[in-house]
């Protein structure tokens, strides 16, 4: 197992047991899972992206150690007459390398390379399940987000709803006019490869409204 932790390619049955929790590995950078109890979930990780994923349909299934590069929050700010800036509230995912090479179970992807990402130290992450909080520096505006999937005591139906709430708080504590906006991007998810056959999510559409 020590060689697996260093990036060696394990046998298929061993990697399956690792993902199922039989050989637990510490994975820095994980976060709060959201999506409803028993209905599948993904984590909002400490990189600000969405993953790993667990849509295997079984409590014993492990997770898919991936993210969706197109999924993130984006913040636009224009203070006074200064040019506007747009920042993606995420950073590159970990690429953990051991003595035997990359460690797949401790690595996941990054947001799209064309986006203006957060710099190191511009974000903090706090968690107390089922709640998570992210706050950001480097802006004139005070920017923070609280997120959670509701857990209702004694009520299975609302607790298992595949939903997540994001409460975004923007505060202008300066003496200047501050024009701000927040955008959320999330593509339709591709095939989920855990289990046989792979589950293909179909029939989803994207809509928008004007306010």
């Amino acid at each position: 197992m020590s060689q697996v932790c260093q990036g060696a390619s394990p046998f298929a049955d061993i990697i399956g047991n690792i993902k199922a929790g039989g050989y637990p590995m510490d994975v820095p950078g994980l976060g709060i899972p959201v999506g409803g109890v028993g209905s599948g979930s993904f984590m909002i990780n400490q990189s600000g992206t969405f993953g790993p994923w667990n849509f295997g349909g079984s409590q014993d299934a492990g997770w898919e150690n991936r993210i969706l590069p197109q999924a993130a929050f984006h913040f636009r700010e224009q203070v006074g007459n200064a040019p506007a800036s747009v920042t993606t509230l995420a950073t590159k995912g970990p690429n953990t390398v051991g003595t035997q090479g990359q460690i797949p179970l401790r690595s996941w992807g990054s947001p799209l390379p064309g986006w203006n990402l957060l710099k190191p130290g511009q974000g903090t992450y706090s968690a107390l399940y089922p709640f998570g909080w992210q706050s950001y520096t480097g802006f004139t505006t005070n920017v923070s987000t609280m997120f959670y999937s509701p857990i209702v005591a004694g009520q299975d139906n609302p607790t298992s709803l595949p939903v997540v709430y994001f409460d975004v708080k923007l505060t202008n504590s300066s003496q200047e006019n501050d024009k701000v906006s927040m955008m959320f991007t999330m593509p339709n998810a591709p095939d989920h490869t855990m289990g046989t056959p792979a589950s293909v999510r179909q029939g989803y559409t994207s809509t928008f409204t004007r306010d």
Side-chain angles (χ1 to χ4, degrees):
M1 278 303 301
S2 61
Q3 299 308 307
V4 175
C5 294
Q6 291 296 330
S9 298
F11 295 106
D13 59 336
I14 296 179
I15 193 71
N17 283 331
I18 293 173
K19 290 184 175 180
Y23 298 95
M25 290 179 64
D26 64 301
V27 183
L30 297 180
I32 290 289
V34 294
V37 175
S39 59
S41 65
F42 55 79
M43 295 182 188
I44 301 178
N45 61 57
Q46 295 176 42
S47 300
T49 52
F50 301 86
W53 292 63
N54 183 352
F55 286 89
S58 170
Q59 293 182 351
D60 295 329
W63 60 60
E64 297 175 72
N65 218 26
R66 64 166 180 171
I67 65 158
L68 301 180
Q70 309 93 326
F73 280 94
H74 315 269
F75 176 63
R76 182 184 186 274
E77 178 184 58
Q78 183 177 15
V79 180
N81 296 321
S85 63
V86 178
T87 304
T88 297
L89 300 180
T91 188
K92 293 182 179 180
N95 180 25
T96 306
V97 178
T99 58
Q100 302 292 317
Q102 186 192 48
I103 307 174
L105 294 179
R106 290 175 173 161
S107 305
W108 55 78
S110 300
L112 293 178
W115 286 344
N116 179 33
L117 304 180
L118 291 171
K119 297 178 176 59
Q122 282 191 298
T124 60
Y125 190 107
S126 305
L128 181 63
Y129 185 81
F131 299 100
W133 298 266
Q134 293 172 308
S135 58
Y136 310 95
T137 60
F139 307 108
T140 299
T141 310
N142 297 323
V143 184
S144 62
T145 303
M146 181 180 74
F147 54 89
Y148 64 96
S149 288
I151 294 179
V152 184
Q155 299 186 40
D156 294 342
N157 288 345
T159 299
S160 62
L161 289 175
V163 298
V164 55
Y165 290 96
F166 293 95
D167 186 0
V168 179
K169 184 177 180 180
L170 306 174
T171 306
N172 179 16
S173 57
S174 73
Q175 300 299 315
E176 300 185 79
N177 291 331
D178 191 5
K179 297 179 181 180
V180 298
S181 58
M182 185 76 79
M183 180 175 69
F184 176 58
T185 54
M186 171 68 79
N188 287 330
D191 299 0
H192 297 287
T193 57
M194 295 291 292
T196 304
S199 62
V200 181
R201 302 171 67 82
Q202 297 176 333
Y204 291 92
T205 59
S206 298
T207 60
F208 70 94
T209 59
R210 293 188 183 276
D211 185 350

